Amino acid sequence: MKNIYKVAVIGGGTMGADLAALIARQDMPVVIKEVNAELAERLRGRLDQRIDGWLERGKINASRAEQLKMLCTATASNDDLCDADLVIEAVPEDVNLKRKIFAELAVLLPDAILTSNTSSIPITSLSKGVARPERLAGMHFFNPPTRMPLVELISAEATSPETLESLEVFAAETLAKKPIRVKDRPGFLVNVLLGAYLTPAIRALETTTVKPEAIDAEAKAFGWPMGPFVLLDMMGVDLVKEVMNILFSAYGDRFAPSCLVNALVSAGRLGQKTGAGFYDRVPGPAEARPGDHSESGSEPLDAILEKNFPERTSGDAVQAFTDMMYSMVNESAMALETATASANDIETGCLFGLGFPQAKGGPLHYGDQVGLGRLAEALGDSACPLLRGMAVRAETFFSSW
Ligand SMILES: NC(=O)c1ccc[n+]([C@@H]2O[C@H](COP(=O)([O-])OP(=O)(O)OC[C@H]3O[C@@H](n4cnc5c(N)ncnc54)[C@H](O)[C@@H]3O)[C@@H](O)[C@H]2O)c1
């Protein structure tokens, strides 16, 4: 196993800058590389400003602020990366850019562990041209890494057990995160399960007259921290469209692109960032500001639905929410079937990556509670073979809980 004493982060944007803050807070030196000296300087300013903010709010004292600033180096030079034991790449989602960076890093740092924080690019596709590809893996943090506890560790075709073990120890012990091991596939684990949960919610609006607020209320009553439509508006409807396209290309019809999502994007209703999305009024990121909700100026959701989906039948929020949960259990069973992750890691991923209600244990425990026979019957032809077989044999995912 490789001990990690210093980390290099490539790219100091949304994820890279927050990763640097996370790593420094755990008392580990971190060097963040930007494209050029000007961007590196700007990043240095942003990091200092953030640390000064903690000081002003009384979260840390002056000597800790000084220490944290010293633990972070912003640079545009490869020379400053040379003693890093671990690299986390966090540049924009461009496969060619990432490949080029990994080919360079492999030469520059012959002994370091190399990881990508990509949310959608298969890690194996980044290993071309990397000497000793057994040290390359995915390390998928969620936004913002300082607050989100989950890390997906993705093993590419050549990733060695030693690399994974080193990353697991680093994530769990140094960063105090919850690492799970996930097979290399589009969307990895958590985003695919989230897609399986959210897609039926969107379909319910397209096919029935059920209201977003009614489905959201069901989800909240179940124990989710927020309803699916509040979440979709927070994520950004344009990002949702992009993710659905990725999942559709990889997994087919169950993630077929949504006409409603396309209509919302065309109307400029992108969610929180434009003030309207699935909801006609979406409060800004700084929490609800009464009387200060911006609006996109587009027609109301009801009118968009009426125009695009005139054949909708009457809807039922309980049924819609049940469909979402069953779809998530089915997708979790598919993840087991394809050895994408273990049952425990599926549960951990949903509890700590998606905010699945802790008391319910995760989608597989929920499936056991509902009963796999009932689930298989409700899912019909969509039920995956593993779920159907287990239902016939009256089995459960967990022996007891
Ligand atoms: N933003 C999210 O919510 C989120 C969540 C999980 C994973 N990710 C993944 O993290 C990665 C980064 O996303 P982001 O949102 O932080 O992007 P971003 O656009 O905010 O930041 C990317 C940074 O990389 C820098 N950069 C570009 N080319 C570079 C190069 N050759 N060398 C060094 N720096 C370079 C840019 O100047 C920029 O500061 C992506 O792969 C994304 O899929 C993002």
Side-chain angles (χ1 to χ4, degrees):
M1 203 186 73
K2 186 173 175 64
N3 288 323
I4 292 160
Y5 301 107
K6 183 169 178 180
V7 181
V9 175
I10 314 298
T14 309
M15 294 301 283
D18 201 62
L19 278 170
L22 167 72
I23 295 162
R25 271 188 352 195
Q26 302 303 116
D27 292 315
M28 182 159 288
V30 54
V31 50
I32 314 104
K33 185 176 175 228
E34 258 299 339
V35 180
N36 54 40
E38 193 194 332
L39 286 177
E41 204 170 310
R42 249 192 263 165
L43 172 65
R44 174 79 260 172
R46 284 200 344 262
L47 290 169
D48 288 350
Q49 216 177 3
R50 184 154 184 209
I51 294 168
D52 289 338
W54 293 336
L55 175 64
E56 278 157 28
R57 291 199 298 280
K59 291 188 169 181
I60 54 172
N61 62 26
S63 78
R64 178 65 174 153
E66 217 37 55
Q67 194 184 30
L68 288 174
K69 285 180 187 176
M70 278 169 59
L71 282 166
C72 301
T73 308
T75 186
S77 162
N78 277 344
D79 295 346
D80 293 320
L81 307 180
C82 284
D83 51 352
D85 305 296
L86 165 69
V87 180
I88 307 173
E89 167 277 308
V91 302
E93 200 71 339
D94 172 340
V95 68
N96 290 325
L97 173 64
K98 286 181 193 278
R99 271 198 190 133
K100 184 171 160 276
I101 286 174
F102 279 113
E104 279 171 19
L105 287 170
V107 177
L108 187 72
L109 299 165
D111 296 320
I113 294 180
L114 306 176
T115 67
S116 174
N117 184 45
T118 174
S119 358
S120 63
I121 300 172
I123 306 299
T124 304
S125 72
L126 301 175
S127 62
K128 247 191 208 160
V130 172
R132 296 188 47 234
E134 67 274 14
R135 63 197 168 117
L136 177 73
M139 208 179 191
H140 183 219
F141 291 85
F142 292 75
N143 188 13
T146 40
R147 271 198 284 130
M148 296 296 286
L150 190 75
V151 184
E152 289 182 308
L153 301 179
I154 326 294
S155 54
E157 267 166 26
T159 310
S160 67
E162 192 202 356
T163 298
L164 275 182
E165 197 193 334
S166 307
L167 291 174
E168 204 160 53
V169 169
F170 171 73
E173 293 180 12
T174 305
L175 300 184
K177 295 287 175 194
K178 299 271 182 200
I180 60 170
R181 291 187 180 205
V182 180
K183 202 162 101 174
D184 195 15
R185 63 170 196 172
F188 310 128
L189 174 72
V190 169
N191 285 339
V192 179
L193 299 186
L194 179 64
Y197 169 73
L198 293 175
T199 303
I202 301 170
R203 302 268 181 262
L205 295 195
E206 294 177 338
T207 54
T208 74
T209 54
V210 67
K211 301 278 182 214
E213 24 305 48
I215 300 179
D216 277 356
E218 282 303 315
K220 290 273 288 180
F222 182 82
W224 284 98
M226 66 184 77
F229 294 104
V230 170
L231 177 63
L232 285 159
D233 279 343
M234 263 179 71
M235 288 167 65
V237 186
D238 48 345
L239 176 72
V240 169
K241 179 177 168 178
E242 200 184 302
V243 173
M244 281 183 96
N245 283 337
I246 292 171
L247 295 181
F248 176 56
S249 329
Y251 304 107
D253 280 351
R254 63 189 192 274
F255 295 107
S258 150
C259 297
L260 174 57
V261 167
N262 292 343
L264 292 177
V265 171
S266 304
R269 295 176 60 125
L270 306 184
Q272 204 170 59
K273 56 187 136 182
T274 60
F278 284 93
Y279 280 100
D280 291 330
R281 287 166 154 260
V282 184
E287 249 331 284
R289 299 183 304 261
D292 182 28
H293 300 175
S294 51
E295 278 179 278
S296 71
S298 77
E299 53 190 341
L301 179 74
D302 277 344
I304 293 174
L305 287 169
E306 196 52 52
K307 194 159 67 188
N308 290 282
F309 308 98
E311 314 271 276
R312 286 173 304 149
T313 55
S314 73
D316 174 357
V318 176
Q319 186 58 53
F321 180 66
T322 304
D323 291 346
M324 293 164 61
M325 292 301 298
Y326 286 12
S327 163
M328 189 181 208
V329 178
N330 196 32
E331 198 65 44
S332 303
M334 282 186 236
L336 271 183
E337 200 170 39
T338 52
T340 298
S342 68
N344 282 334
D345 279 353
I346 290 171
E347 303 299 73
T348 303
C350 291
L351 294 173
F352 295 99
L354 300 179
F356 196 102
Q358 295 280 333
K360 304 274 196 311
L364 297 173
H365 281 100
Y366 168 77
D368 283 347
Q369 195 189 10
V370 171
L372 301 193
R374 190 165 142 201
L375 268 161
E377 196 185 330
L379 287 161
D381 290 345
S382 318
C384 74
L386 176 78
L387 186 60
R388 246 182 278 150
M390 288 178 75
V392 169
R393 296 187 298 274
E395 290 173 353
T396 51
F397 292 116
F398 292 91
S399 49
S400 63
W401 63 287

